[in-house]
C-alpha cells in the first residue's frame, strides 16, 4: 500500500544543523518527498498537533519545545511508509533506539528526539494535511 507519513525535523534538529543529515537518511530509505517547508509553530498549533497527549505530564514541555524554534515538516510517500519511517527513526527514547537509527545517532533524550513520525497510515494522512494543502504536495 502506498502510504503517506509526516516527518518533522524538530527544533533541536534545526538548532544542531542536522537537517541535511536527517533528510539524506530519509532519501536513502527510498521515501519520496511530496512537500517540505520550514515554519515556527505557535503554541496553539503545537498544542493541537499533539492534542492526543493533552493532560500527560510531558505535554506542556513538549509544546514549549516544539515552539522553541523553527521546525521542518516533510510529507513523505512510499509503500509501507509509516512503519518503514519509524524503523529508520528508532524508538521515542534514544536510549531504547537501535544503533544506526536517526534518534540513536542524534537525539539527546526522550523529549528532544530530533524527529516526529506518524503512528498509523490514517494519522499519516491526517498529519500531512495538518501542515500541507493538497496543492502543495507534488
Ligand atoms: P513518538 O514521537 O515516538 O511517536 P509519542 O507519540 O509517544 O512518541 O510522543 C510524542 C512526543 O512526546 C515524543 O516524540 C516526545 C514526547 N514524549 C513522549 N513521552 C515522553 C516522556 N515520557 N517524557 C518526555 N517527552 C515525552
Ligand atoms: Mg507518536
Amino acid at each position: 500500500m502506498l502510504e503517506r507519513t509526516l516527518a518533522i525535523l524538530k527544533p533541536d534538529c534545526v538548532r544542531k544543523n542536522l537537517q541535511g543529515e536527517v533528510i539524506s537518511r530519509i532519501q536513502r530509505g527510498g521515501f519520496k518527498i511530496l512537500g517540505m517547508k520550514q515554519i515556527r509553530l505557535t503554541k496553539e498549533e503545537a498544542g493541537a498537533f499533539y492534542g492526543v497527549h493533552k493532560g500527560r505530564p510531558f505535554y506542556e514541555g513538549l509544546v514549549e519545545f516544539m515552539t522553541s524554534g523553527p521546525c521542518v515538516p516533510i510529507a513523505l510517500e512510499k509503500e509501507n511508509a509509516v512503519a518503514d519511517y519509524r524503523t529508520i527513526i528508532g524508538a521515542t527514547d534514544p536510549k531504547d533506539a537501535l544503533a544506526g537509527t536517526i534518534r540513536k545517532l542524534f537525539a539527546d533524550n526522550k523529549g528532544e528526539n530530533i524527529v516526529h513520525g506518524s503512528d498509523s497510515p490514517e494519522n499519516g494522512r491526517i498529519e500531512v494535511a495538518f501542515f500541507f494543502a493538497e496543492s502543495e504536495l507534488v
Side-chain angles (χ1 to χ4, degrees), residues 4-24:
R4 286 181 180 178
T5 194
L6 181 79
I8 305 176
L9 312 185
K10 294 184 177 182
D12 55 338
C13 181
V14 175
R15 268 194 290 277
K16 291 171 160 178
N17 268 319
L18 290 170
Q19 302 96 313
E21 295 281 351
V22 174
I23 291 167
S24 77

Side-chain angles (χ1 to χ4, degrees), residues 59-113:
Y59 177 76
E60 298 295 335
L62 176 60
V63 170
E64 194 71 33
F65 167 58
M66 289 301 292
T67 58
S68 66
C71 67
V72 181
I74 307 174
L76 299 174
E77 187 176 71
K78 183 184 171 302
E79 295 280 327
N80 206 36
V82 171
D84 287 357
Y85 175 72
R86 291 200 72 99
T87 298
I88 67 165
I89 68 174
T92 307
D93 189 335
K95 289 203 288 286
D96 303 327
L98 295 180
T101 59
I102 289 167
R103 283 167 164 170
K104 183 58 137 196
L105 285 165
F106 302 124
D108 290 336
N109 55 63
K110 192 173 187 176
E112 305 206 356
N113 60 5

Side-chain angles (χ1 to χ4, degrees), residues 50 53 86 116-119:
Y50 281 113
H53 295 304
R86 291 200 72 99
H116 170 78
S118 306
D119 63 5

